[in-house]
Amino acid sequence: MTPKWRELADKLAEGIASGKYAPGEQLPQIRELVAKGEGSKSTVHAAYKALEAEGLVTSSRGHGTVVRQRVPLKRLGIARYDKAKWRDGDEVAFIADRVASGRSYRRNEQTQTVSLVEAPPAVAAAHGLSEGAQVYARARLVKEGNQPTHTLTSYYRPEHVEGTRIVDPTPGPAGRGGGFRVLYDAGYEIDHMKEAIFARAATSDEVKLLQLPAGEPVVELHRTTYTASGTVVEFAIGVHAASRFAWEYDFKVPDSAKGEKGQ
């Protein structure tokens, strides 16, 4: 005999598959299903835990049980920074990811705060500044619909961005083309980057901010952006919900031996 919780889990799974419950939509509260006669509180709770274990939903305190996106966002590698996207158009990096994933977006899905702060050690080291020197911190929270996907905080030397749109806290990218276009217009054209990524456990603040289910890790990104002359014009730290992205890179494989032979 099939347990009552399994029957309820299968019924809800069918609703998810049929589109009755859309990705990002919250399932009914446990008390609602109990009131409708779907089972006891423990039965409904067990059904929801089963759906979470099967990867169909995520649960977090204060946000209930939400249907998981069926396909993670493509987190593009090199292609997301294509100059033609932001210099000649208005496709900033987070929008490039949405376009590549075939997903809709709104510019105001990126909110931000801007403040002048003392440079943390990693930021000071990247910019070649003494620890505690002042830098601008532009902290963004990016959402897809109502669900946060990641945070990104960029740190800049004041002399590079003072008086520009980068220090404007208005929600959305920093004008047409975003922050890279602002730097380009100010004479700091980006030329190359260095990125480091690693997975770790989420902090309690990150669990709340990104609405993470229990136990989900995050992927932390450190991005250093340079001009052709080697000047660091941005150091950024991003924190991404691990299940909401699929990281993708496409690049030419180097052959350093060829370079040595040509010298």
Side-chain angles (χ1 to χ4, degrees):
M1 183 175 176
T2 305
K4 180 69 174 176
W5 65 264
R6 183 69 261 176
E7 292 180 359
L8 178 57
D10 290 343
K11 180 179 178 180
L12 292 168
E14 289 176 9
I16 293 171
S18 69
K20 178 181 178 181
Y21 302 113
E25 183 179 345
Q26 184 176 330
L27 292 184
Q29 296 285 339
I30 289 178
R31 63 176 178 273
E32 294 177 37
L33 293 183
V34 172
K36 290 179 179 179
E38 295 287 1
S40 66
K41 183 177 179 180
S42 60
T43 294
V44 178
H45 180 73
Y48 276 12
K49 293 303 288 184
L51 293 175
E52 186 172 8
E54 292 160 13
L56 295 176
V57 301
T58 60
S59 298
S60 60
R61 183 173 297 178
H63 298 282
T65 301
V66 177
V67 178
R68 188 188 286 271
Q69 292 285 358
R70 292 184 180 88
V71 180
L73 279 165
K74 286 183 181 179
R75 174 79 182 190
L76 296 180
I78 299 169
R80 73 195 307 265
Y81 302 124
D82 184 351
K83 292 183 182 182
K85 296 182 186 297
W86 52 264
R87 182 194 58 207
D88 308 329
D90 192 24
E91 200 171 298
V92 298
F94 94 85
I95 293 177
D97 290 338
R98 301 288 177 85
V99 171
S101 303
R103 308 265 264 271
S104 61
Y105 64 87
R106 297 190 306 274
R107 291 175 65 85
N108 64 3
E109 286 178 325
Q110 174 183 291
T111 59
Q112 58 203 9
T113 56
V114 179
S115 54
L116 198 57
V117 301
E118 288 189 359
V123 174
H127 278 288
L129 298 169
S130 58
E131 191 170 326
Q134 296 225 304
V135 292
Y136 272 104
R138 181 172 172 242
R140 284 93 86 198
L141 173 65
V142 182
K143 296 183 176 183
E144 184 177 19
N146 293 321
Q147 184 179 66
T149 58
H150 65 289
T151 65
L152 184 69
T153 302
S154 295
Y155 297 91
Y156 307 92
R157 285 175 174 257
E159 62 267 27
H160 292 163
V161 299
E162 198 96 59
T164 71
R165 296 191 307 273
I166 281 178
V167 296
D168 179 355
T170 303
R176 180 176 172 81
F180 290 154
R181 178 58 192 264
V182 173
L183 291 169
Y184 176 83
D185 289 341
Y188 301 104
E189 180 176 359
I190 67 171
D191 178 76
H192 58 283
M193 296 179 176
K194 178 174 66 177
E195 289 192 343
I197 58 175
F198 56 93
R200 60 170 174 78
T203 66
S204 58
D205 287 342
E206 289 164 350
V207 168
K208 294 176 185 176
L209 186 61
L210 295 175
Q211 300 173 20
L212 300 175
E216 175 160 345
V218 294
V219 176
E220 184 168 323
L221 162 78
H222 289 190
R223 180 177 79 203
T224 311
T225 306
Y226 304 82
T227 65
S229 64
T231 299
V232 174
V233 288
E234 179 212 40
F235 179 72
I237 299 175
V239 178
H240 304 72
S243 68
R244 296 170 196 166
F245 287 94
W247 300 74
E248 180 177 291
Y249 290 89
D250 182 2
F251 52 89
K252 183 177 176 61
V253 176
D255 185 349
S256 59
K258 285 187 175 180
E260 291 173 1
K261 290 175 181 177
Q263 290 180 356

